[in-house]
């Protein structure tokens, strides 16, 4: 059993202020029963957030910042696409907000986009991508798979990195990125007067005014086995953190502690092998099952550091 928790902490001021008041008794106890592994160090400006790096590593994927091949992995699961070799990317419809000083990502993915709207926009955009050697395939409403050589070796920023933030530091900068930057501009012009956006404005919905590339890269020669066990990644902290809803984030942490973490502690007590990975916005820390020595047991009882201090360091 491997539980992976994204956004276990954040350096946002509101989150830091809440950390001392978190009551996580089961997490505190579980952390004293497991052996800490080497920390995965990063920073808040990396292309790939810690939880994506941790998930990729646990799945046996190459962990190269900004080149975690999530799109290629999804394509490999589809019989009609699995034979296509090379690099892939996700193309996600989104909404940018422009001000005098910066452009920020306001919404990604579009939360209320219908399948029909997505299919219509896919049909409108596909010829532009084809001209640049990129083939688009439907994946889900508002997000498509893109196949093309341009994505090979191209770092791209995870949507989790850019939501609510100034996009300037996150735009692709690799040599081949000029093609994609031009495509982004062309799609913005196409979307500006598209009938779907006119209808969305009429009903008070955010318009689709941009696209975002992510999950770029190719699978290794020996890709992970889709049937192998993968970590369980709990989404509730991430959802609250990305909305800057820190009260809900704290409530979600208490719920996770009382349910999933408690279940892991019970499994550890029964002698089962467990692994816990906590991820912040910079670093990730994992703990695995161990058989503690008597000295470790005594130290854990009397000198185990508060788990809140560990969260602050993520």
């Amino acid at each position: 059993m491997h539980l992976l928790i994204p956004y276990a902490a954040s350096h946002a001021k509101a989150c830091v202020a809440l950390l001392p008041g978190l009551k996580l008794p089961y997490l505190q106890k579980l952390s004293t029963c497991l052996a800490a592994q080497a920390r995965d160090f990063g920073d808040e400006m990396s292309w790939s957030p810690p939880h994506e790096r941790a998930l990729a590593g646990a799945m046996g994927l190459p962990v190269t910042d900004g080149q975690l091949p999530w799109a290629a992995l999804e394509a490999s699961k589809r019989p009609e696409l699995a034979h296509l070799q090379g690099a892939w990317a996700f193309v996600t419809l989104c909404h940018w907000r422009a001000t005098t000083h910066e452009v920020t990502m306001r919404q990604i993915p579009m939360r209320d986009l219908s399948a029909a709207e997505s299919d219509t926009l896919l049909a409108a955009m596909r010829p532009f991508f084809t001209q640049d050697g990129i083939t688009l395939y439907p994946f889900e409403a508002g997000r498509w798979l893109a196949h093309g050589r341009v994505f090979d070796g191209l770092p791209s920023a995870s949507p989790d990195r850019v939501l609510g933030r100034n996009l300037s530091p996150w735009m692709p900068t690799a040599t081949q990125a000029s093609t994609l930057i031009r495509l982004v501009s062309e799609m913005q012009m196409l979307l500006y007067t598209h009938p779907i956006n006119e209808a969305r404005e009429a009903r008070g919905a955010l318009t689709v005014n941009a696209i975002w590339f992510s999950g770029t890269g190719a699978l290794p020669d020996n890709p992970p086995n889709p049937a192998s066990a993968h970590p369980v990644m709990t989404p509730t902290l991430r959802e609250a953190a990305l909305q800057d809803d820190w009260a809900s984030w704290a409530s979600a942490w208490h719920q996770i502690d009382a349910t999933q973490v408690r279940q892991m502690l019970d499994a550890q007590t029964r002698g089962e092998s467990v692994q816990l990975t906590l991820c912040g916005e910079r670093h990730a820390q994992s703990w695995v099952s161990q058989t503690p020595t008597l000295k470790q047991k005594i130290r854990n009882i009397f000198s185990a550091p508060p788990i809140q201090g560990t969260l602050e360091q993520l």
Side-chain angles (χ1 to χ4, degrees):
M1 178 189 299
H2 182 182
L3 180 63
L4 195 160
I5 304 180
Y7 290 92
S10 168
H11 58 273
K13 290 182 179 179
C15 180
V16 172
L18 286 172
L19 284 176
L22 286 179
K23 305 298 182 184
L24 306 173
Y26 298 106
L27 180 63
Q28 178 69 50
K29 187 172 183 179
L30 180 63
S31 67
T32 66
C33 301
L34 305 177
Q37 304 300 287
R39 182 174 297 176
D40 170 25
F41 286 97
D43 63 66
E44 60 268 29
M45 296 305 293
S46 62
W47 297 88
S48 304
H51 57 276
E52 292 191 15
R53 301 197 303 265
L55 181 61
M59 295 175 65
L61 290 170
V63 183
T64 302
D65 190 35
Q67 298 180 61
L68 306 183
W70 300 126
L73 182 64
E74 290 299 333
S76 72
K77 299 176 184 178
R78 301 195 166 204
E80 71 275 18
L81 303 179
H83 67 284
L84 296 173
Q85 303 299 310
W88 293 79
F90 284 123
V91 177
T92 307
L93 302 178
C94 53
H95 181 91
W96 295 4
R97 178 171 56 192
T99 66
T100 304
H101 303 292
E102 64 182 22
V103 176
T104 59
M105 180 70 75
R106 182 173 177 186
Q107 191 173 110
I108 183 171
M110 302 301 295
R111 290 193 290 267
D112 62 346
L113 193 78
S114 69
E117 289 175 319
S118 180
D119 290 344
T120 298
L121 292 176
L122 173 60
M125 293 183 182
R126 183 174 269 149
F128 294 87
F129 283 79
T130 301
Q131 290 175 5
D132 285 311
I134 301 170
T135 307
L136 294 180
Y137 299 92
F139 177 63
E140 59 188 19
R143 187 162 66 140
W144 313 317
L145 290 166
H147 182 247
R149 294 180 60 185
V150 68
F151 303 119
D152 189 17
L154 175 79
S156 59
S158 165
D160 283 4
R161 282 304 201 203
V162 298
L163 183 60
R165 293 179 172 175
N166 176 14
L167 292 177
S168 179
W170 308 103
M171 299 300 290
T173 57
T175 304
Q176 67 268 45
S178 58
T179 295
L180 302 182
I181 297 298
R182 176 178 48 76
L183 265 174
V184 169
S185 296
E186 290 175 347
M187 295 308 97
Q188 287 179 310
M189 289 187 287
L190 182 150
L191 290 165
Y192 184 67
T193 57
H194 197 281
I196 279 181
N197 274 330
E198 293 177 359
R200 291 179 65 84
E201 280 189 313
R203 67 174 188 261
L206 280 180
T207 58
V208 180
N209 64 9
I211 58 174
W212 191 256
F213 296 97
S214 65
T216 46
L219 288 177
D221 293 336
N222 297 310
N225 182 357
S228 61
H230 297 154
V232 174
M233 189 160 66
T234 182
T236 50
L237 295 179
R238 172 185 173 274
E239 292 167 358
L242 291 177
Q243 296 178 40
D244 286 324
D245 185 352
W246 298 107
S248 294
W249 176 86
S251 178
W253 235 137
H254 292 144
Q255 179 66 19
I256 291 169
D257 187 63
T259 54
Q260 291 171 288
V261 175
R262 183 177 182 177
Q263 291 167 8
M264 288 195 72
L265 180 59
D266 290 342
Q268 166 72 13
T269 303
R270 293 192 299 268
E272 298 176 22
S273 178
V274 302
Q275 179 174 348
L276 172 68
T277 302
L278 301 181
C279 305
E281 291 191 81
R282 300 166 296 182
H283 317 309
Q285 179 70 64
S286 287
W287 293 261
V288 298
S289 295
Q290 67 169 354
T291 302
T293 65
L294 178 60
K295 183 178 179 180
Q296 289 172 326
K297 290 180 180 179
I298 295 173
R299 186 180 68 237
N300 288 339
I301 292 172
F302 292 103
S303 61
I307 194 64
Q308 290 83 352
T310 299
L311 296 178
E312 287 178 355
Q313 297 171 22
L314 293 176

